[in-house]
Amino acid sequence: KHRIVIPCLGHFKEEYEKVSKLYMNNKIRTTRYTLLNFLPRNLFEQFHRVANLYFLFLVVLNWVPLVEAFQKEITMLPLIGVLTIIAVKDGLEDYSRYKMDKQINNLVTKVYSR
């Protein structure tokens, strides 16, 4: 048997709203990204990997005319490919975390009552 508890605040509603702003809510959030910070945060995390920094160094080095070994676009392909694949993987993982958080936050809860 489940029970839904709705507080009857009455004339204490304004006081409750003032006090409740000071505390965090009980929602679970395990996602790392939002729609606004996905691209910059994901790129920041990916360039903490040494391999990605190495490929970025090769791309930058290839833009120098004296050192240019290949066409500029060809040296960018491996880096762009790896960054894209990892970004898609991270996005899908984060979306599945978001769906799981939403499912957990919408569960019916039991309230202890004497």
Side-chain angles (χ1 to χ4, degrees), residues 2 7 11-13 23 25 27 29-30 37 42 47 56 59 67 70-71 76 82 86 99 102-103 105 108:
H2 296 281
H11 59 279
F12 295 111
K13 185 172 184 174
Y23 299 103
N25 59 16
K27 287 187 176 183
R29 182 174 180 257
T30 59
N37 72 3
N42 188 269
F47 283 116
L56 180 65
V59 167
V67 188
F70 305 107
Q71 290 180 353
M76 292 171 56
V82 168
I86 293 174
K99 288 192 326 189
K102 192 173 178 181
Q103 181 182 4
N105 288 329
V108 177

Side-chain angles (χ1 to χ4, degrees), residues 39-55:
L39 190 63
R41 194 168 190 186
N42 188 269
L43 288 174
F44 178 76
E45 290 177 7
Q46 287 192 43
F47 283 116
H48 272 84
R49 298 184 180 133
V50 178
N52 291 344
L53 285 175
Y54 172 73
F55 282 115

Side-chain angles (χ1 to χ4, degrees), residues 92-105:
L92 291 174
E93 286 177 356
D94 208 55
Y95 181 69
S96 67
R97 278 192 227 113
Y98 167 76
K99 288 192 326 189
M100 186 62 72
D101 291 347
K102 192 173 178 181
Q103 181 182 4
I104 289 172
N105 288 329

Side-chain angles (χ1 to χ4, degrees), residues 4-113:
I4 299 174
V5 177
I6 301 173
C8 180
L9 300 174
H11 59 279
F12 295 111
K13 185 172 184 174
E14 291 113 18
E15 183 180 347
Y16 170 76
E17 288 174 354
K18 274 196 281 185
V19 172
S20 66
K21 290 179 184 177
L22 301 174
Y23 299 103
M24 296 292 293
N25 59 16
N26 288 337
K27 287 187 176 183
I28 294 173
R29 182 174 180 257
T30 59
T31 57
R32 282 191 276 177
Y33 308 110
T34 63
L35 288 176
L36 295 176
N37 72 3
F38 176 75
L39 190 63
R41 194 168 190 186
N42 188 269
L43 288 174
F44 178 76
E45 290 177 7
Q46 287 192 43
F47 283 116
H48 272 84
R49 298 184 180 133
V50 178
N52 291 344
L53 285 175
Y54 172 73
F55 282 115
L56 180 65
F57 174 72
L58 289 179
V59 167
V60 170
L61 192 62
N62 203 32
W63 282 84
V64 176
L66 294 174
V67 188
E68 184 178 343
F70 305 107
Q71 290 180 353
K72 295 171 184 144
E73 297 81 17
I74 291 177
T75 56
M76 292 171 56
L77 287 177
L79 181 64
I80 291 173
V82 168
L83 293 179
T84 304
I85 290 170
I86 293 174
V88 168
K89 177 191 70 83
D90 287 346
L92 291 174
E93 286 177 356
D94 208 55
Y95 181 69
S96 67
R97 278 192 227 113
Y98 167 76
K99 288 192 326 189
M100 186 62 72
D101 291 347
K102 192 173 178 181
Q103 181 182 4
I104 289 172
N105 288 329
N106 291 325
L107 287 175
V108 177
T109 58
K110 294 181 180 180
V111 177
Y112 175 74
S113 176

